Amino acid sequence: MPRIDAPTVAEHRAARERALLDAARGLLTDRPDRLPTLAEVGELAGLSRSSVYQYYASREDLLSAVVRDSFPRWQGRLDTAIAAATGPRGRILAYLRVNLELVADGEHALARTLVSVAPSEELARRSQTFHDQLLVPLRGALDELGVNDPETTTELLNGLVHTASRLVEQTGDLERTYDATAALVDAYLRTLPGPSPA
């Protein structure tokens, strides 16, 4: 049996998979125009190419694992922030803030890279499902505030988030972009008939 670097084989395997996923994420973020080879991922993770094949059968297999790993991380950060927010206005502003923080952290660029360099029906389905899940708390907050057409308003607010995201990517100025976008959103929220957005 090969030497393991953890108390158990399962922990050893999990640590190596984590190292490979992190290496793939880093390479995809640094070079968004191309998929890294398994050899490149292995080298960055400190593993030989043959060792990488013990975990992933192909680049596509590794990419699928990166997708499975990345989307829930985004969702988890959003869920945590929304759970800590007070009232529907707070949840909407938390949605805005966390999405822009994730952009500033490079997560949005990674998601865009995954879609552009490795388009597939599976990835398209995963992306759409993820997008729909992200919008659930935003729509729920708008419902609570008494918006007449929450579905359309959700998409419009999400469009504003996408525009703000591009600004963060272009300027690197998270705070300035958030403040300006939050002011626009808050001015709108204060016109709604639902619970006071104090």
Side-chain angles (χ1 to χ4, degrees), residues 76-146:
R77 280 183 62 176
L78 184 62
D79 290 346
T80 299
I82 287 174
T86 302
R89 171 185 172 265
R91 293 197 301 274
I92 291 169
L93 294 177
Y95 176 90
L96 169 62
R97 177 77 194 191
V98 171
N99 274 285
L100 295 185
E101 287 176 351
L102 285 159
V103 169
D105 292 347
E107 292 291 328
H108 186 255
L110 174 64
R112 194 174 56 244
T113 296
L114 289 170
V115 171
S116 64
V117 300
S120 70
E121 288 186 17
E122 179 192 1
L123 186 53
R125 282 194 303 273
R126 285 181 183 274
S127 297
Q128 187 60 52
T129 299
F130 176 64
H131 175 264
D132 293 344
Q133 289 173 344
L134 286 181
L135 295 180
V136 168
L138 182 57
R139 180 171 178 169
L142 291 169
D143 273 328
E144 194 174 332
L145 288 168

Side-chain angles (χ1 to χ4, degrees), residues 38 48-49 65 84 92 100-101 132 145 148 154 160 169 174 185-187 197:
L38 289 181
S48 67
R49 184 179 180 198
I92 291 169
L100 295 185
E101 287 176 351
D132 293 344
L145 288 168
N148 289 330
T154 295
L160 184 60
E169 288 181 329
L174 169 64
V185 171
D186 196 41

